[in-house]
Amino acid sequence: MATSSSFDPISPSNTRVGWIGTGVMGQSMCSHLLKAGYSFTVFNRTVSKAQPLVSLGAHLAESPSAVAAQSDVVFSIVGYPSDVKSVLLDPSTGALSSLRPGGVLVDMTTSEPSLAVAISEAASSKGCHSIDAPVSGGDRGAKAATLSIFAGGDHSIVTKLTPLFNLMGRTYYMGGPGKGQFAKLANQVTIASTMVGLVEGLVYAYKAKLDVGLFVEAISTGGAASKSLDLYGERILKRDFEPGFFVNHFIKDLAICLKECQNMGVALPGLALAQQLYLSLKAHGEGNLGTQALILALERLNNVSLDSPGKASGYLYGLPS
């Protein structure tokens, strides 16, 4: 790939791709690009999580810097802003330290808008480019390549990355550096209150002695239908709390949202309530469950369990319901 924004259209024949972070989301996203024929180098702190990609033909690197040395475009999707700063900006092991001029960093972690701006400025100072491109759609969207990608940065670079983005989902250009992160945070605000509404509705239906499974089916085609219901309704009923998105990571996202609300002077009480409920899950040691585990917080508040025998057994935790 050429060393300016006028490089040839991206294709497997002229673009080497690097990937940092091969967890729940990253592994599926990365695999789509690998299967499309791109030359790939990957890094993950837990090496075993990168092995499925190595089996598909990816080269395993010892550091983010080593990934960038072998790549024209480097994607990252890690846990926290501190992780983003470390894997991209660390002066000795970070990806930017060995990225060639004209190279592109694409951070798909949900992170701080101010950090996205700082990464963009640092990349520009080295003759490189940086795009913030967090995603929404969960593990299912990652597997099906149907993610929504919120892109911030130089529009021409986002456009040139389209062949790569299209292998993971649909891209929405939101504006300059940091705007992709702002869009994702607004997305998280929306999801937070939606999830609270979903689990409250389930507990209400349970206490009303409805068939909760039938209730979920009934509302799935009405005004209460939502992506959250589609993704998590059945999982909740099956007590499937495997993470498509970790509670701990969602708490991180909501904390960033609240910080930005303070900076902008915006009052979002639903967001604050959702964050407190998710924090209660963490306090109970449930931070590594999926976000659908929010039902557990509402069950504890109401001394019920949707897992009890029957539609509404009448006795939950040994007490009358």
Side-chain angles (χ1 to χ4, degrees):
M1 193 171 74
T3 59
S4 73
S5 60
S6 61
F7 49 70
D8 293 334
I10 285 176
S11 71
S13 65
N14 67 8
T15 305
R16 301 168 304 162
V17 179
W19 197 283
I20 301 167
T22 58
V24 173
M25 298 288 289
Q27 190 171 127
S28 293
M29 296 162 70
C30 182
S31 68
H32 297 309
L33 277 65
L34 255 172
K35 291 173 183 177
Y38 285 92
S39 172
F40 239 92
T41 305
V42 300
F43 169 80
N44 197 72
R45 285 179 299 186
T46 304
V47 174
S48 61
K49 292 183 179 180
Q51 287 303 322
L53 298 170
V54 173
S55 298
L56 290 174
H59 302 287
L60 184 63
E62 296 182 350
S63 68
S65 176
V67 170
Q70 301 298 320
S71 306
D72 301 304
V73 180
V74 178
F75 290 89
S76 55
I77 182 164
V78 292
Y80 298 87
S82 59
D83 298 321
V84 175
K85 189 173 182 179
S86 174
V87 301
L88 297 185
L89 298 182
D90 185 278
S92 58
T93 62
L96 186 58
S97 68
S98 61
L99 189 66
R100 292 177 175 83
V104 185
L105 300 176
V106 184
D107 183 36
M108 307 190 88
T109 314
T110 302
S111 184
E112 297 169 348
S114 59
L115 179 56
V117 172
I119 295 169
S120 178
E121 292 173 349
S124 294
S125 71
K126 287 198 61 177
C128 300
H129 309 281
S130 176
I131 300 298
D132 49 292
V135 299
S136 180
D139 60 327
R140 291 186 180 179
K143 291 174 182 176
T146 57
L147 294 169
S148 290
I149 303 168
F150 308 110
D154 186 319
H155 186 267
S156 68
I157 300 300
V158 172
T159 299
K160 292 182 185 300
L161 291 170
T162 298
L164 296 172
F165 285 144
N166 283 349
L167 294 169
M168 295 180 278
R170 182 175 177 181
T171 306
Y172 298 87
Y173 179 68
M174 307 308 299
K179 296 302 184 185
Q181 293 294 352
F182 275 119
K184 176 59 188 292
L185 294 175
N187 178 84
Q188 301 302 72
V189 171
T190 305
I191 289 175
S193 293
T194 301
M195 287 299 294
V196 172
L198 171 58
V199 297
E200 285 188 341
L202 294 178
V203 169
Y204 183 91
Y206 180 85
K207 289 292 289 184
K209 295 180 169 42
L210 296 176
D211 180 321
V212 182
L214 180 60
F215 166 72
V216 167
E217 182 181 354
I219 67 172
S220 66
T221 57
S226 69
K227 194 71 172 180
S228 293
L229 177 63
D230 293 342
L231 287 172
Y232 300 123
E234 185 176 350
R235 293 191 194 188
I236 291 171
L237 297 182
K238 291 181 176 180
R239 313 302 283 183
D240 175 6
F241 301 130
E242 284 297 308
F245 193 72
F246 289 105
V247 165
N248 280 336
H249 289 172
F250 199 46
I251 290 171
K252 173 263 297 183
D253 293 355
L254 300 186
I256 296 172
C257 290
L258 288 167
K259 178 182 176 181
E260 295 300 331
C261 284
Q262 185 172 1
N263 292 339
M264 294 186 288
V266 177
L268 300 180
L271 166 63
L273 172 61
Q275 193 237 16
Q276 291 295 300
L277 290 171
Y278 274 105
L279 278 173
S280 77
L281 294 180
K282 183 175 182 178
H284 280 84
E286 295 157 349
N288 287 326
L289 298 181
T291 52
Q292 68 272 26
L294 185 62
I295 188 67
L296 300 175
L298 268 292
E299 288 177 342
R300 280 190 284 263
L301 280 174
N302 291 282
N303 194 34
V304 301
S305 173
L306 272 64
D307 194 32
S308 298
K311 296 178 183 178
S313 67
Y315 289 90
L316 305 162
Y317 300 113
L319 298 172
S321 63

